[in-house]
């Protein structure tokens, strides 16, 4: 697991979600999907975490690739996408089991608050889904609880290792400048045969002249963006620092020579001419963001270094035949608010009908009792007359 996992929070916040689905083939979810240093990972835990991820991905990708995208080879790897996701989820679980086995070495453990929140989330999730859905997800209390425990423990381990990094950041390393630039392509044109035709010196000079005109108009108006738009070009404002690798090197070099409020001479870059304006040689907000980014990278590195070494040393065995039982014949989706409301309305109507039936039964019983009492009184009267 190369990134800080927020899966615990996602599951906790979405614990009341409803899933669609129907019963599938019988699978032994107690079977061992894999083992980590002899500790078994039940197929049920892999299935639960996989199906939860499947629901999340269905909402994100189903619209673009079709609802059956999990059974398509989206990456050209020769495998359906669902199998790629399944293998990735299994790898995540393997790493979570490694973390569980070694968290004590860092003096990291779940506390009462963690356990209480996990228990509440698990029970809420189970109560919010029907039996068919829970069966398809192999979601019983033990399975859901343990997956949540693993995810929460991972977050605590990450947070602990984040406290071990060097928090001093070199000012030159983090400092960010802010520029606005206009680019005009010098890449040439394409003829009818698809061949590139280079621009002539006259055409290149025309581009340079147009950028100089934009600069003159911007200096007069104080608005580079509008000046560029008047020539059907766009002005881009961005920040950069010493480690930036996205901007053209010639563009950066020219910008580095500027003071606040200055324009550079037209810059000849790779396939473009650039008009560059220095907004600020020190952007405080962007610099602070860069400092935070550097610290996050150090946190991630501390976590990765610790975990990678343990995973490398662990004995991990995957039971491919068991894992292979998890296919993607059925589509898992999250119920819409409207569907959930309809279900709740249906339940309320059922409860009302049951209540009405009960009231009718009581009324019928009362009527029968009254009739029986009347018959008894008549019989007593006849006996008295005799």
């Amino acid at each position: 697991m190369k990134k800080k996992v927020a899966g615990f929070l996602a599951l906790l916040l979405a614990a009341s979600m409803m899933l669609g689905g129907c019963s599938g083939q019988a699978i032994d979810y107690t079977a061992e999907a894999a083992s980590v240093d002899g500790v078994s990972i039940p197929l049920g835990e892999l299935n639960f975490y996989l199906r939860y991820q499947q629901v999340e991905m269905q909402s994100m990708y189903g619209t673009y690739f079709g609802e059956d995208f999990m059974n398509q080879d989206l990456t050209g790897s020769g495998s359906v996408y669902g199998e790629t996701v399944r293998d990735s989820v299994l790898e995540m679980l393997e790493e979570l089991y490694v973390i569980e086995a070694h968290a004590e070495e860092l003096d990291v453990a779940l506390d009462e608050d963690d356990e209480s929140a996990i228990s509440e989330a698990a029970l809420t999730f189970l109560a919010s889904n029907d039996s068919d859905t829970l069966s398809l997800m192999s979601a019983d209390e033990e399975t859901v609880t343990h997956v949540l425990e693993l995810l929460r423990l991972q977050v605590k381990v990450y947070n602990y290792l984040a406290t071990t990094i060097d928090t001093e950041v070199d000012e030159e390393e983090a400092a960010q400048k802010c520029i606005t630039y206009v680019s005009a392509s010098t890449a040439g044109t394409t003829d009818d045969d698809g061949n590139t035709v280079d621009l002539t010196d006259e055409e290149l000079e025309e581009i340079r002249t147009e950028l100089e005109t934009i600069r003159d108009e911007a200096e007069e108006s104080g608005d580079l963006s509008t000046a560029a738009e008047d020539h059907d070009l766009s002005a881009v404002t961005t920040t950069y620092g010493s480690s930036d690798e996205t901007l053209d090197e010639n563009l950066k070099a020219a910008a580095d020579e500027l003071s606040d409020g200055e324009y550079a001479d037209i810059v000849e870059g790779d396939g473009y001419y650039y008009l560059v304006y220095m907004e600020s040689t020190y952007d405080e907000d962007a610099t602070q963001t860069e400092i935070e980014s550097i610290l996050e990278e150090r946190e991630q590195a501390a976590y990765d270094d610790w975990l990678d070494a343990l995973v490398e040393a662990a004995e991990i065995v995957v039971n491919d035949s068991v894992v292979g039982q998890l296919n993607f014949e059925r589509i898992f989706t999250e119920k819409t608010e409207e569907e959930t409301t309809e279900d709740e309305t249906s339940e309320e109507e059922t409860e009302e009908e049951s209540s009405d039936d009960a009231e009718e039964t009581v009324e019928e019983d009362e009527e029968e009792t009254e009739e029986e009492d009347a018959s008894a009184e008549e019989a007593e009267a006849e006996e008295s007359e005799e």
Side-chain angles (χ1 to χ4, degrees):
M1 193 177 303
K2 304 301 181 185
K3 296 181 179 179
K4 180 179 179 181
V5 175
F8 168 80
L9 295 179
L11 284 168
L12 186 64
L13 294 173
S16 60
M17 61 185 258
M18 301 286 288
L19 305 175
C22 56
S23 300
Q25 62 178 344
I27 295 177
D28 180 10
Y29 290 117
T30 64
E32 182 179 280
S35 63
V36 178
D37 288 330
V39 179
S40 178
I41 300 177
L43 183 63
E45 290 188 2
L46 171 59
N47 182 60
F48 169 67
Y49 199 17
L50 171 63
R51 300 312 178 190
Y52 193 92
Q53 295 294 331
Q54 186 177 346
V55 171
E56 294 290 294
M57 298 179 73
Q58 193 73 39
S59 64
M60 291 187 291
Y61 304 134
T63 302
Y64 301 101
F65 302 110
E67 62 178 13
D68 194 35
F69 73 92
M70 288 295 240
N71 282 309
Q72 300 174 31
D73 181 8
L74 299 180
T75 61
S77 64
S79 300
V80 299
Y81 187 60
E83 292 176 357
T84 302
V85 175
R86 183 186 63 199
D87 294 344
S88 177
V89 171
L90 179 56
E91 183 179 348
M92 290 180 188
L93 278 176
E94 292 165 359
E95 292 179 351
L96 289 172
Y97 268 72
V98 169
I99 292 171
E100 184 179 45
H102 295 276
E104 288 185 2
E105 299 169 10
L106 303 177
D107 197 26
V108 175
L110 300 180
D111 56 29
E112 291 184 2
D113 289 340
D114 295 322
E115 296 290 2
S116 176
I118 289 169
S119 177
E120 181 180 353
L123 293 176
T124 300
F125 181 87
L126 295 172
S128 300
N129 292 277
D130 58 50
S131 59
D132 283 341
T133 298
L134 296 177
S135 177
L136 278 171
M137 296 186 73
S138 57
D140 54 33
E141 184 174 356
E142 180 180 0
T143 297
V144 177
T145 298
H146 189 231
V147 171
L148 290 174
E149 287 175 340
L150 291 172
L151 291 167
R152 178 54 182 162
L153 190 60
Q154 185 275 334
V155 171
K156 297 192 74 167
V157 165
Y158 185 101
N159 290 341
Y160 168 78
L161 291 170
T163 67
T164 66
I165 67 169
D166 177 11
T167 57
E168 292 295 325
V169 177
D170 182 79
E171 185 174 346
E172 291 187 7
E173 179 185 5
Q176 298 288 298
K177 297 180 180 182
C178 180
I179 60 172
T180 297
Y181 67 89
V182 179
S183 60
S185 175
T186 60
T189 59
T190 303
D191 63 20
D192 294 338
D193 296 326
N195 300 314
T196 300
V197 179
D198 292 335
L199 298 180
T200 64
D201 290 342
E202 291 77 9
E203 289 172 326
L204 291 173
E205 185 59 32
E206 288 177 4
I207 295 174
R208 181 185 293 273
T209 300
E210 183 174 36
L211 290 177
E212 290 174 343
T213 300
I214 293 173
R215 180 183 60 194
D216 293 340
E217 294 174 359
E219 287 180 327
E220 182 177 348
S221 67
D223 189 344
L224 177 56
S225 180
T226 298
E229 290 175 0
D230 289 342
H231 292 262
D232 296 324
L233 293 173
S234 299
V236 177
T237 300
T238 187
T239 57
Y240 75 96
S242 59
S243 62
D244 182 273
E245 297 179 354
T246 59
L247 291 176
D248 184 280
E249 288 300 318
N250 291 342
L251 171 62
K252 284 176 57 180
D256 284 340
E257 298 299 319
L258 300 175
S259 299
D260 291 1
E262 288 186 344
Y263 283 91
D265 291 334
I266 304 304
V267 179
E268 184 174 346
D270 185 14
Y272 290 90
Y273 280 164
Y274 294 100
L275 168 61
V276 189
Y277 174 75
M278 178 58 68
E279 300 281 354
S280 173
T281 54
Y282 183 79
D283 189 300
E284 186 173 351
D285 290 340
T287 300
Q288 182 58 40
T289 299
E290 179 65 13
I291 291 173
E292 293 171 1
S293 177
I294 291 171
L295 293 177
E296 287 177 0
E297 289 176 1
R298 292 179 185 178
E299 290 174 2
Q300 189 67 57
Y303 172 79
D304 288 345
D305 291 345
W306 178 81
L307 180 57
D308 288 349
L310 294 173
V311 171
E312 182 70 23
E315 181 182 359
I316 299 175
V317 179
V318 177
N319 297 321
D320 293 324
S321 61
V322 174
V323 173
Q325 296 178 82
L326 303 183
N327 58 46
F328 302 89
E329 294 177 356
R330 285 176 170 76
I331 297 170
F332 288 69
T333 58
E334 184 175 355
K335 282 190 177 181
T336 64
E337 184 177 348
E338 181 179 350
E339 289 172 328
T340 303
T341 302
E342 288 176 357
D343 288 345
E344 292 174 350
T345 301
S346 178
E347 290 177 3
E348 291 175 359
E349 289 175 350
T350 301
E351 291 176 358
E352 289 176 1
E353 289 173 0
S354 298
S355 177
D356 291 342
D357 290 342
E359 290 177 1
E360 290 175 3
T361 302
V362 170
E363 290 175 357
E364 290 173 358
D365 290 343
E366 289 176 350
E367 289 176 359
E368 291 176 0
T369 301
E370 290 175 356
E371 291 175 357
E372 290 173 358
D373 290 343
S375 298
E377 290 176 359
E378 290 176 2
E380 289 177 0
E382 289 176 358
E383 290 176 359
S384 297
E385 290 176 0
E386 292 176 354

